[in-house]
Amino acid sequence: MIDTVTTEIAEGEERIRLETGEDGLAVLTLCRPDKLNGWSWESTRQLGLLADRIRFDPSVRAVLLRAEGRAFCAGIDVTAPGGAITGGSAAGRTRDYYEGIRWVHERFAVLARLPQPVVAAVQGYCLGFGFELALMADIRVAAEDAVFALPEAQLGVAVDAGGDLRIAREAGAGWAKYLALTGRRIDAATAQRLNLVQPVVPGAELDAAARGLAAEIAANAPLAVQGIKRAVDAYADAALPAALDRVAMTAALTLTSDDCREGYAAKAARRPPHFTGG
């Protein structure tokens, strides 16, 4: 796992770039397009670090979350260093994964609980952790080519960061189960119909549409905007903390399972997995 104490981002190791201007916007850009902006422990650390900087910047009134390249985020980067947690026993590894996933939840919560509203601009693949990240935003603008999925069950693991819970909140429990239990992909039009994204625009218009929306929010009264966000979140997320702890334990158990190893091995070999339930 990565160093969770360091509070800087090493040169050349940037996963997310932060830019602020005089327009009241902070722009967070996933900046590893050659990896389809694949997610890692280090991406999570940088997200929490940069979100903390935004939180205490009085000049920032809204946040735009976007990505470079043809994908928003295609899920976990399995080539990233420190991806697997090791331990002296199965129980020890499970405990370490449990704490690791809880740490991820805490970093994601820094973004989700920012006082400033977050607008996500989503294009191309938005899968697994990428979908979960987009669901942390207050409003999602999707390009017509956006594709969404939670494929974790196909790999033998649970949905790690609560994306299925947020889908249940937005679209209902039935759709959350349908998407998370099957791993099926849906297009932007379907995601809009399920209330998982708001505007859907042509790909060439995505950046302008999302920036324009974020700027429109930033132009409104900050105290009113932030109060509205807090009130809606307090209602919508009332049962989320306890459910996320259950998610962390389920993720830890599945990440240390034989089925998880089989799932990733089968994907690498391009063959159907043979799951045993162990």
Side-chain angles (χ1 to χ4, degrees):
M1 204 173 156
I2 54 92
D3 178 5
T4 60
V5 177
T6 303
T7 57
E8 299 299 326
I9 299 173
E11 186 175 352
E13 293 301 316
E14 201 174 52
R15 268 68 170 172
I16 308 171
R17 184 174 63 249
L18 171 62
E19 299 167 291
T20 56
E22 298 179 356
D23 55 0
L25 294 185
V27 181
L28 287 170
T29 302
L30 308 187
C31 56
R32 285 247 169 142
D34 57 320
K35 298 284 189 179
L36 298 182
N37 297 309
W39 203 257
S40 64
W41 297 108
E42 176 61 17
S43 303
T44 299
R45 187 186 74 86
Q46 292 184 20
L47 178 70
L49 184 67
L50 297 176
D52 267 341
R53 293 177 186 174
I54 291 169
R55 179 179 184 177
F56 295 104
D57 186 340
S59 70
V60 175
R61 296 189 174 189
V63 180
L64 174 62
L65 175 65
R66 59 181 299 277
E68 293 178 346
R70 61 189 180 92
F72 178 75
C73 173
I76 293 292
D77 178 7
V78 296
T79 68
I85 290 179
T86 59
S89 68
R93 289 182 65 230
T94 299
R95 180 266 178 198
D96 290 346
Y97 264 117
Y98 173 61
E99 291 303 326
I101 296 298
R102 289 182 66 221
W103 174 82
V104 169
H105 290 173
E106 290 164 3
R107 304 285 81 73
F108 270 35
V110 175
L111 175 71
R113 295 174 186 168
L114 281 173
Q116 303 96 332
V118 179
V119 175
V122 180
Q123 79 277 11
Y125 292 125
C126 185
L127 311 177
F129 251 93
F131 194 4
E132 297 190 89
L133 176 64
L135 288 165
M136 301 283 172
D138 298 289
I139 300 170
R140 290 163 290 282
V141 183
E144 291 173 338
D145 71 345
V147 177
F148 303 86
L150 294 176
E152 285 87 345
Q154 297 175 344
L155 298 171
V157 297
V159 179
D160 305 62
D164 47 356
L165 306 182
R166 290 180 169 84
I167 292 173
R169 180 188 66 189
E170 303 290 346
W175 279 109
K177 293 173 183 177
Y178 176 84
L179 294 174
L181 295 178
T182 66
R184 288 190 180 186
R185 296 181 178 187
I186 57 172
D187 59 17
T190 303
Q192 184 184 46
R193 181 166 58 86
L194 298 180
N195 298 321
L196 300 178
V197 302
Q198 284 72 53
V200 174
V201 300
E205 300 174 14
L206 176 64
D207 193 65
R211 285 177 184 268
L213 178 58
E216 185 178 345
I217 294 169
N220 290 331
L223 293 179
V225 165
Q226 294 176 20
I228 291 167
K229 173 175 175 172
R230 280 193 297 269
V232 173
D233 285 349
Y235 167 75
D237 296 337
L240 196 59
L244 281 174
D245 189 72
R246 184 180 294 270
V247 164
M249 179 52 69
T250 304
L253 289 170
T254 55
L255 284 164
T256 55
S257 69
D258 292 339
D259 277 351
C260 178
R261 285 191 290 273
E262 166 63 11
Y264 277 97
K267 185 174 180 62
R270 299 182 181 274
R271 61 170 174 80
H274 177 64
F275 294 129
T276 64

